């Protein structure tokens, strides 16, 4: 019974770490609770094997499909187009971790001095966590297609909102008056964040081609800017915000003073991001090409 409990605990620990590594490489936000629930789901086949006392109690086909349930619990909200690549990433990491664990433990058994009371198997997950900080996140995200995805935090009147963002180097939109970069955000995502004294004007700007004057308190800090894309031209209400910072490849950077352009439609058809920004607005960001 002790060996069974030890096996379940070790399986839970390894699954949690592998899911955490997948999240790091994928660049998708999740929570420790979701990772724990997913790891518990991952332990169920092991529990069934122990209860049946049969190594082959779980068909190999189910073993291939089961990670999909784990990933679904850990990365709820991940766009469908990333699921297959994420599943492959998780399975490959599981196989590599198993191989490295076996090789490492055999090496330790042969060459490392024995430490009383230490089970070397429990050393592997912390080593994987430490290695996760130096894994090639950029290259993996290029393969998956999420290299340019990150997060942006906007602050206005001491109120903050956090949004998933796409760092698009092709976004050259600037405000014609202040010449600040414009971050495009979805109205539905910032509706409750916008100050009450400017919200009616923004809604009017989306209903009418020529809205009324900007409220007096927002004179010089709000306006309309024109944009042009491959699909056509348009106009957006824009606001100057107090400050912003952005996350790119797990590092946070302060951003230059910028404007927020508010669109009534969806920016990403699959909902994978709700803001569009240029990486040039990041202060001291890695000077490497990002974006579409």
């Amino acid at each position: 019974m002790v060996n069974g409990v030890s096996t379940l605990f070790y399986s839970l620990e390894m699954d949690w770490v592998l899911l955490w590594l997948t999240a790091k490489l994928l660049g998708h936000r999740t929570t420790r609770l979701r990772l724990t629930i997913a790891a518990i789901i991952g332990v169920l086949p092991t529990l069934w094997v122990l209860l049946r006392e049969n190594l082959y109690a779980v068909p190999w086909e189910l073993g291939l499909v089961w990670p999909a349930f784990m990933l679904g619990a850990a990365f709820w909200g991940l766009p469908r187009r990333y699921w297959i690549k994420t599943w492959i990433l998780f399975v490959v990491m599981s196989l590599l971790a198993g191989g490295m664990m076996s090789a490492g433990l055999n090496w330790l058994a042969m060459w490392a001095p024995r430490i009383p009371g230490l089970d070397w198997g429990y050393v592997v997950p912390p080593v994987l966590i430490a290695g996760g900080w130096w894994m090639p996140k950029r290259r993996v995200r290029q393969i998956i297609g999420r290299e340019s995805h990150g997060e942006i935090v906007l602050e206005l009147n001491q109120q903050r909102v956090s949004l998933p963002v796409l760092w698009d180097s092709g976004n050259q939109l600037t405000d014609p008056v202040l010449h600040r970069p414009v971050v495009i955000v979805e109205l539905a995502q910032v509706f409750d964040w916008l100050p009450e004294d400017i919200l009616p004007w923004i809604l009017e700007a989306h209903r009418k081609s020529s809205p009324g004057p900007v409220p007096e308190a927002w004179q010089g800090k709000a306006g309309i800017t024109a944009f042009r894309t491959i699909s056509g031209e348009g106009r957006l209400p824009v606001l100057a915000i107090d400050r912003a910072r952005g996350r790119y490849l797990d590092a946070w950077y302060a951003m230059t003073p910028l404007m927020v352009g508010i669109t009534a439609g969806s920016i990403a058809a699959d909902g994978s991001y709700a803001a569009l920004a240029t990486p040039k607005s990041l202060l001291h960001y890695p000077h490497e090409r990002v974006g579409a």
Side-chain angles (χ1 to χ4, degrees):
M1 185 65 180
V2 174
N3 288 337
V5 172
S6 177
T7 299
L8 289 174
F9 181 79
Y10 185 71
S11 177
L12 180 69
E13 185 182 25
M14 283 296 295
D15 285 341
W16 198 97
V17 171
L18 289 171
L19 288 164
W20 177 83
L21 285 174
T22 303
K24 293 290 289 184
L25 292 174
L26 188 63
H28 183 75
R29 289 190 67 183
T30 185
T31 63
R32 293 185 179 90
L33 177 60
R34 287 183 177 178
L35 293 177
T36 301
I37 293 173
I40 292 173
I41 293 174
V43 167
L44 295 180
T46 304
L47 176 61
W48 183 247
V49 167
L50 292 173
L51 292 175
R52 295 295 300 272
E53 298 183 359
N54 181 1
L55 186 61
Y56 303 101
V58 177
W60 66 269
E61 297 92 341
L62 183 61
L64 287 177
V65 174
W66 202 254
F69 296 100
M70 300 169 61
L71 296 173
F75 306 125
W76 184 261
L78 182 69
R80 286 176 294 179
R81 60 193 174 107
Y82 298 121
W83 279 109
I84 294 179
K85 291 181 179 179
T86 302
W87 176 84
I88 293 174
L89 174 65
F90 180 77
V91 171
V92 169
M93 284 203 308
S94 299
L95 295 174
L96 289 176
M100 289 187 297
M101 180 185 68
S102 298
L105 293 181
N106 289 334
W107 182 87
L108 287 171
M110 292 176 59
W111 302 103
R114 295 185 178 275
I115 302 177
L118 176 62
D119 185 345
W120 284 105
Y122 293 101
V123 176
V124 176
V127 171
L128 289 176
I129 290 178
W133 298 106
W134 290 278
M135 294 182 77
K137 303 180 186 67
R138 180 182 177 89
R139 182 56 181 163
V140 172
R141 291 180 192 175
Q142 280 180 331
I143 295 173
I144 295 176
R146 287 185 61 87
E147 177 200 16
S148 54
H149 288 244
E151 184 179 358
I152 190 170
V153 176
L154 309 173
E155 184 174 339
L156 179 62
N157 292 350
Q158 299 182 341
Q159 299 296 319
R160 296 180 180 178
V161 64
S162 176
L163 302 170
V165 66
L166 177 71
W167 299 112
D168 182 9
S169 58
N171 177 16
Q172 303 297 324
L173 185 61
T174 58
D175 172 64
V177 178
L178 299 176
H179 303 290
R180 294 180 175 182
V182 175
V183 174
I184 303 174
V185 301
E186 296 178 2
L187 175 60
Q189 299 295 326
V190 298
F191 190 90
D192 295 332
W193 171 73
L194 292 168
E196 294 182 358
D197 56 346
I198 193 63
L199 181 58
W201 179 84
I202 292 174
L203 296 176
E204 183 183 8
H206 284 295
R207 291 195 305 265
K208 302 178 181 179
S209 58
S210 299
V214 176
E216 183 177 354
W218 290 89
Q219 291 290 333
K221 297 188 293 183
I224 301 291
T225 187
F227 66 89
R228 177 180 299 174
T229 64
I230 297 177
S231 59
E233 300 179 355
R235 292 156 57 87
L236 283 177
V238 294
L239 300 176
I241 63 172
D242 298 332
R243 61 185 59 85
R245 59 193 183 103
R247 177 175 60 85
Y248 171 65
L249 286 181
D250 295 326
W252 284 94
Y253 303 92
M255 301 182 70
T256 59
L258 50 81
M259 307 285 285
V260 170
I262 303 166
T263 177
S266 297
I267 298 178
D270 59 3
S272 56
Y273 52 90
L276 193 65
T278 174
K280 295 179 181 179
S281 61
L282 295 171
L283 295 176
H284 309 298
Y285 83 103
H287 294 281
E288 300 175 5
R289 184 179 181 274
V290 299

